Amino acid sequence: MVNHVPEAPASKSGDWAFLGAESGSVADRLYLSAAEEWNRAINSRFVNELLDDTLPDNVLVSYLIQDFKFFNQGIMDHAIALAPREETKEMLRKQSKFFADEEAPYFTDFLKVYHVTDEQYEHAPQTPANKEYCDYLAEVVNGTWEELITALCCMEWLYLAWAKRTVDAGVVQQVPAHKGWVDLHEGELFRAWTGRLIALVNEYASVDGPEAEVFRRIVHLERRFFEDAYDLA
Ligand SMILES: Cc1ncc(CO)c(N)n1
C-alpha cells in the first residue's frame, strides 16, 4: 500500500511534553492512566481506514451524522459558564466561534456532497455509544469545572492524537472528506487549543480526584463511538 499510516506506538510519559503535558504533570498522568484504551481508540479500524483512504463511504456518512448530532450539544456554552476566570471564558468563546466558522461548514458541505438529506440526518438513530456519551456529558456539564475541563481536554486531545499519526507519517489523504476531517483536528490552531486545555487540566484537575474517572470514561466512550460507525452503516 502506498499511503499506509502506521499505528501509533504505546503511550509513554512525556509524549506530549511539547504541548505542556510534561512527565509527571497531571495531564501526563491522566494520559498514562488510560493508555491502553487510548491506544486502541487512536488506532481503531475507523481511524486506520480514514487515514489510509480505505474507509467505505457509508461508514463515513454514518460516523459523521453521529458526530454532527454529538457536536450540537452545547458543551462549550457550559464550559464558558463554569470557567472561573474571565480570560478563560474569553478563550473558550473564541474557540466556540472557531468551531462555528470552521467545523460546522465542514459538516454542512459534507452532507451535501455525500447527498445526505435532512430527513436521513434527522431520522438516523443515535448509536448506543453516542447516546451513552451524550447522556454522560449531560451529567458532566452539571458537575464541576474540574470535571468538565478534563472531559473537554480528553476528547480534543484524543482527536489530535489520532490525526497526528498521519502528520508524523507524512501522509496526506487523497479523499477530500478524509483530508478535511484530519485538517480540522491537526495543525497549528488545533494543537494550540489542545495545549490550552492541557494547561487548564494541569492547573485545576487532580489525579486522585473524580477527574481521573472522567478522563478514562471519555477515552472509553471515544473508542466505542468509532466502533459504532460500522454497526449502523
Ligand atoms: C465524538 C467526538 N469527540 C471529539 C471530537 C473532537 O472535537 C469530535 N469531533 N467528536
Side-chain angles (χ1 to χ4, degrees), residues 63 67 103 156 159-164 180-187 190-191:
Y63 164 84
D67 207 61
E103 197 147 335
E156 298 297 73
Y159 263 57
L160 173 60
W162 71 249
K164 182 171 175 291
W181 196 235
V182 168
D183 289 348
L184 280 172
H185 299 104
E186 172 55 297
F190 199 76
R191 285 186 178 212

Side-chain angles (χ1 to χ4, degrees), residues 1 16 18 22 27 31 34 44 46 52-53 69 72 79 81 90 104 113 131 149-150 170 179 196 208 214 216-217:
M1 217 185 296
W16 293 86
F18 72 99
E22 282 92 8
Y31 166 71
S44 64
F46 178 87
D52 285 352
D53 279 333
K69 290 179 188 244
N72 276 335
E90 196 45 39
V113 171
K131 169 111 186 34
I149 199 64
T150 301
K179 178 177 185 301
R196 288 192 285 271
D208 336 299
V214 171
R216 286 191 294 269
R217 182 85 184 267

Side-chain angles (χ1 to χ4, degrees), residues 83-101:
R85 283 194 301 263
E86 190 49 46
E87 69 181 82
T88 309
K89 289 183 193 290
E90 196 45 39
M91 182 281 278
L92 293 166
R93 271 188 215 112
K94 275 199 196 132
Q95 188 66 28
S96 198
K97 181 169 175 338
F98 173 81
F99 285 144
D101 293 347

Side-chain angles (χ1 to χ4, degrees), residues 20 76 101 124 129-130 148 183 201 216 218 231:
M76 291 295 284
D101 293 347
N130 194 10
L148 180 51
D183 289 348
V201 163
R216 286 191 294 269
I218 296 285
D231 293 343

